[in-house]
Amino acid sequence: MRQRGCRVYKLHDRISITITGTVQGVGFRPFVYRLARELRLTGHVANTSLGVIGEIQGQAGDVDEFIRRVVADAPAVAHIAGFDHQMIDPVPGETEFVIRESDPSTDKSVAILPDLATCPDCLAEINNPSDQRFQYPFTNCTNCGPRFSIINDIPYDRPNTEMRNFTMCPDCQGEYEDPGDRRFHAQPNACPVCGPRIGIDGHNATASGVVLDYCADIIRQGKILALKGIGGYQLLCDARNEAAVKELRRRKHREAKPFAVMFPNLACLQQYCSVNTEEIALLTSVVAPILLLYKKAGAGLATSVAPGNPCLGAMLPYSPLHHLLLGKFDFPVVCTSGNLHDEPIATSNAEARDKLTSIADDILSHNRSIARYVDDSVIRLTANGVQYLRRARGYAPAPHYHRRKLPNVLAVGAHFKNTIAISMGRQTVISQHIGDLSTPEAHNAFHAIVEDLPRLYDFTPEIVACDLHPDYLSSQFARNLNLPTVQVQHHHAHIASVMAEHALEGPVLGIAWDGTGLGSDGTVWGGEFLICEKGDFQRFASLRPFRLPGGDVAALEPRRSALGLLHTIGQPFHFAHGFEESELRLIEANLRQDINAPLTSSVGRLFDSVAALLGLGQVTAFEGQTAMKLEFAAHGRIGSPYPWGAGDVVDWAPMIAAIIADRDRGSSIESIAARFHGTLIEIMVAVARKSGLAEVALSGGCFQNKILYELGAKRLKEAGFKVYLPRQLPPNDGGISLGQVWVASWQY
Ligand code: ZN
Ligand code: ZN
Ligand code: FE
């Protein structure tokens, strides 16, 4: 933050102020207004697309006090990126301080705020039978409520939001205009008289209470309810009811991927999950994310909620509608995104009717539109602080601020867990989680967001950055823009994302471990040690490559990775892979003749192989499922490392031979898993030492593995390295777009 040096002001000095950052939609103007009034100052303040600007006039000491307190006492949800003030000529005879109408201008670099969870004041109102907002599901104020999910244009004013069609009643208008009120300039302000309403599709009930009782019964009866949430529809059912959860899985075509669960309150959550003070602070923050917590045994949650997983994605109600519905229960409900397998979430009432009637028994809708879909965010608390797994509601589109000015780059991300990013001057806005671009629907969602985000910020790209993989739909999109294009190698982008976060110019040793990404040599990478400096990288070392029979198919069939691994070192296929004799012969022939069996150095696939060799799973429902089983088997511990071959190529062959020998002599899976993790961590340390560099950055999907992320970082620190981790973005491909921006920014 820049601040001009202090100077002495004459009696009745006047200054102009410009405050940039996240200062709109957070009650900043009312705050400035109240402060000015308190200090007997005159002048004005307004929102512009630059940020908050104004002129302040008064006695010298009071003006100084204003300058101090406008920063020190700013609203908690505001983020001040810059504060400039300059002396200007006083205006004689001015007697008032006023808030002026917003002035739409051309530069839209001002930050848009994420959606904020219901604040305690609003919660008290909806639970108070004598309040006019009792049981009103759209209650909000300047401290809480929807933002990113309802905004259509900047500046953030009601006509530019999905509230434009609701005219405030005199009471709401009064609150909106009263600088002393909590709802002063609260753009989505509404009440039962004038605001949006809930309703059940195909039913006549309109009274909030009747609708909510009906919906609560649906869930109590073990049925499935679709609910229009903040950033899209969600699917709810009783999380204790095994039959209901199983039925939801069947209808949603989601076999095994864990479901998130919403608890009516913290006390209920504590019956089911272990949670510490820091985790409670995250759950009850304005973000109210899905937080991964350890389940308590025997608490009575249906097994199908998160099968075979010691953790649970837990959250608390974050909108009045969630509070009101969940308030009717003393048990948790599954709360998962309202979509068919792999498709984007339904956001409009028509889409819900079209896509969700086959999944939900009833649909709880309302008539406030959702401007864009925003999924629930998923995070967890680790020994290294908060780790983001999915960055969406509550976080997006909070910008990342750079130390230097970047050109206008549009980065389109990769393919899985995709996000896009746009950089404007010193800030980069990273989109909400988009998802995998595998289905036509997800691809449409990508197109919608890649059109939406630049439009919202009035952003014109000068450069487009994409993945090196030419077949990714995102890369194809980038090529068609006819702009200077920077293709960024996938693992380089993973590390560059961490470098951007920490403003590192390097050289730094990047350890990028994940499932898949196209390498500069045309093979599939994923076990990389890259020396990165500014926008360049060199491949310093990598895992010994092995063949992957079936290519992409292998991501869902760990047994294929294991076959490829064993083939590469000429070992027999002695494990319960479940292939028919004829299938096996074909795979062997393909491996020998190098047909549809690309080379990979992927650590993700190495995890799969070891899991398959240990019988933890041969075919999976989602990528990483068996790799997770291997992590869980280690119970957070590492064992003494197995031998491996050191060199520019890290040879896993001695380790695999030792693992097979351990398995055959009946060592426990727990101990093998712990030793496998221990080996990988020692490999990191050994290669880091060999690099001669002092700084190490870790990223890539494999660092969602808590043992690698926590103990890997710990061991590297103990070995004397300065370790940099993804802190504001996920280590998975959700962070790729920022890395692409960073790399492209060095080339222009
Ligand atoms: Zn509020
Ligand atoms: Zn009203
Ligand atoms: Fe990746």
Side-chain angles (χ1 to χ4, degrees), residues 3 37 81 111 150 196 203 228 250 255 283 339 361 385 394 413 443 513 548 565 578 580 582 624 647 658 714 743:
Q3 208 165 335
R37 297 276 288 237
I150 58 164
H203 293 253
K228 189 176 188 180
R250 193 188 65 78
E255 228 178 282
L283 286 164
N339 58 345
D361 294 293
H443 193 219
W513 287 0
L548 212 50
L565 196 86
E580 301 276 337
S582 56
K714 184 164 174 265
V743 173

Side-chain angles (χ1 to χ4, degrees), residues 12-36:
H12 289 277
D13 270 343
R14 189 175 185 88
I15 56 166
S16 73
I17 58 166
T18 305
I19 302 169
T20 55
T22 308
V23 287
Q24 294 192 354
V26 294
F28 207 90
R29 287 173 301 165
F31 156 69
V32 170
Y33 176 90
R34 280 192 293 269
L35 184 60

